[in-house]
């Protein structure tokens, strides 16, 4: 039986990350008894709540390539990013776990495969050859760490820049060599993309912070990028006219993380999928939709 929420504080970083590794092993073995689950577990995959275990818990066959493990003792949260296969179908998986009383009470999956990405083409890399920027896992000395509030502001600044993108960088900054992995695909000029105004078709970016890994200086968020589909031709920052690839309402659902070093974003990792327009996460309270 899960303990009360206050007891999540009794599980420190090593405890949380140990549970994260147990979860990963249990998932790959299709064996829920191999990890410390509570009696009642809430579970969603691509923002559809379902009985636990179900979904890719029944179909995953392989853990491919590198993975990222994040933890937040204050919130009692674990984050995972990894490549997987479901027999012949490769994909990218992001996971949020809620730990209470040293047991897993919530499991949130965002899974991206070529089969659930729609036109216009959503980026997806090759699961057998992707890597994560090694800077993400580097631990920052306590005296050099930004506060939780500062890290959170960078995430919101990123999303504010993405929403109604017009070339202005809002509330954050980027290292010149900052990298972004979208479903395993590498993009290297984050700042240039934003300053071009090419993402003007993003009408709304709904987001919630779900993890702040203070030791690694990483913040993780769930969210949706909503495209109303009403924008047709528009002008980039350099004056070039272009045409929106979104001609109908649709959304992208995501779990996205940001590594911050020396006051700016150094790396971004995102797993996202095509969702019906204005999908709402089952984890989002009615007052925040």
């Amino acid at each position: 039986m899960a303990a009360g929420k206050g007891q999540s504080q009794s599980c420190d970083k090593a405890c949380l990350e140990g549970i994260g590794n147990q979860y990963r092993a249990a998932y790959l073995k299709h064996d829920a008894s191999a990890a410390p689950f509570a009696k009642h577990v809430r579970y969603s995959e691509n923002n559809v709540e379902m009985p636990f275990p179900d979904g890719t818990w029944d179909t995953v066959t392989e853990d491919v390539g590198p993975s990222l493990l994040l933890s937040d003792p204050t919130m009692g949260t674990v984050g995972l990013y990894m490549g997987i296969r479901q027999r012949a179908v490769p994909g990218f998986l992001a996971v949020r776990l809620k730990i209470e009383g040293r047991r897993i009470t919530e499991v949130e999956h965002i899974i991206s495969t070529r089969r659930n990405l729609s036109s216009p083409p959503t980026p997806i890399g090759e699961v057998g050859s992707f890597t994560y920027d090694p800077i993400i896992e580097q631990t920052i000395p306590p005296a050099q760490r930004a506060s939780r509030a500062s890290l959170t502001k960078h995430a919101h600044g990123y999303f504010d820049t993405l929403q109604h993108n017009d070339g202005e960088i809002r509330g954050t900054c980027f290292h010149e060599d900052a990298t972004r992995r979208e479903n395993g695909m590498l993009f290297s000029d984050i700042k240039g993309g934003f300053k071009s105004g090419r993402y003007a078709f993003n009408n709304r970016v709904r987001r919630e912070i779900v993890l702040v890994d203070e030791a690694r200086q990483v913040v993780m968020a769930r969210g949706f990028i909503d495209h109303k589909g009403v924008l047709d031709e528009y002008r980039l920052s350099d004056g070039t006219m272009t045409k929106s690839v979104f001609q109908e309402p649709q959304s992208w659902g995501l779990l996205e993380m940001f590594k911050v070093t020396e006051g700016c974003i150094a790396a971004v990792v995102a797993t996202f999928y095509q969702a019906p327009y204005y999908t709402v996460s089952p984890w989002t309270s009615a007052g925040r939709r």
Side-chain angles (χ1 to χ4, degrees), residues 58-279:
D58 294 331
T59 55
V60 64
T61 54
E62 186 181 356
D63 178 359
V64 184
S67 64
L68 293 174
L69 177 61
L70 309 169
S71 61
D72 181 348
T74 298
M75 297 179 73
T77 308
V78 174
L80 287 164
Y81 288 85
M82 55 197 290
I84 65 167
R85 292 188 194 276
Q86 299 169 83
R87 296 186 297 278
V89 180
F92 294 91
L93 175 67
V95 180
R96 177 193 63 88
L97 304 177
K98 175 67 175 178
I99 314 301
E100 300 180 76
R102 295 177 176 256
R103 293 193 175 274
I104 301 167
T105 60
E106 297 178 359
V107 178
E108 178 179 5
H109 279 191
I110 295 293
I111 174 72
S112 179
T113 71
R114 295 186 189 279
R115 296 183 181 189
N116 65 18
L117 297 178
S118 70
S119 182
T122 302
I124 189 166
E126 296 299 327
V127 75
S129 59
F130 80 101
T131 59
Y132 294 118
D133 190 325
I135 196 174
I136 296 172
E137 294 194 290
Q138 291 180 5
T139 299
I140 307 302
Q144 299 175 24
R145 294 175 188 171
S147 67
R148 294 177 68 88
S150 178
L151 294 171
T152 297
K153 284 181 180 178
H154 280 288
H156 283 300
Y158 181 96
F159 290 129
D160 288 342
T161 300
L162 193 58
Q163 180 173 268
H164 300 301
N165 177 227
D166 59 5
E168 179 185 353
I169 307 297
R170 304 183 181 98
T172 189
C173 54
F174 300 93
H175 291 287
E176 291 300 322
D177 57 353
T179 60
R180 173 179 170 82
R181 285 278 182 181
E182 298 182 4
N183 297 334
M185 183 172 285
L186 177 64
F187 294 84
S188 56
D189 188 10
I190 304 175
K191 182 179 179 180
F194 279 143
K195 290 186 74 66
S196 74
R198 72 179 63 162
Y199 309 115
F201 42 63
N202 293 330
N203 295 98
R204 180 173 45 231
V205 183
R206 293 172 283 140
R207 81 301 293 252
E208 299 172 83
I209 304 302
V210 298
L211 178 150
V212 180
D213 188 324
E214 295 180 72
R216 294 184 178 91
Q217 296 283 273
V218 171
V219 58
M220 180 177 174
R222 86 164 57 89
F224 294 92
I225 304 173
D226 296 324
H227 308 108
K228 294 177 70 67
V230 297
L231 182 67
D232 189 18
E233 290 190 335
Y234 62 101
R235 194 178 301 277
L236 300 178
S237 299
D238 65 2
T240 303
M241 292 300 299
T242 189
K243 192 177 183 70
S244 174
V245 294
F246 297 100
Q247 300 290 312
E248 61 179 332
Q250 67 98 248
S251 297
W252 282 336
L254 58 90
L255 281 173
E256 189 160 5
M257 55 126 291
F258 308 92
K259 171 77 174 193
V260 177
T261 63
E262 299 177 341
C264 292
I265 293 175
V268 181
V269 177
T271 299
F272 56 91
Y273 74 102
Q274 155 74 7
Y277 180 66
Y278 212 85
T279 295

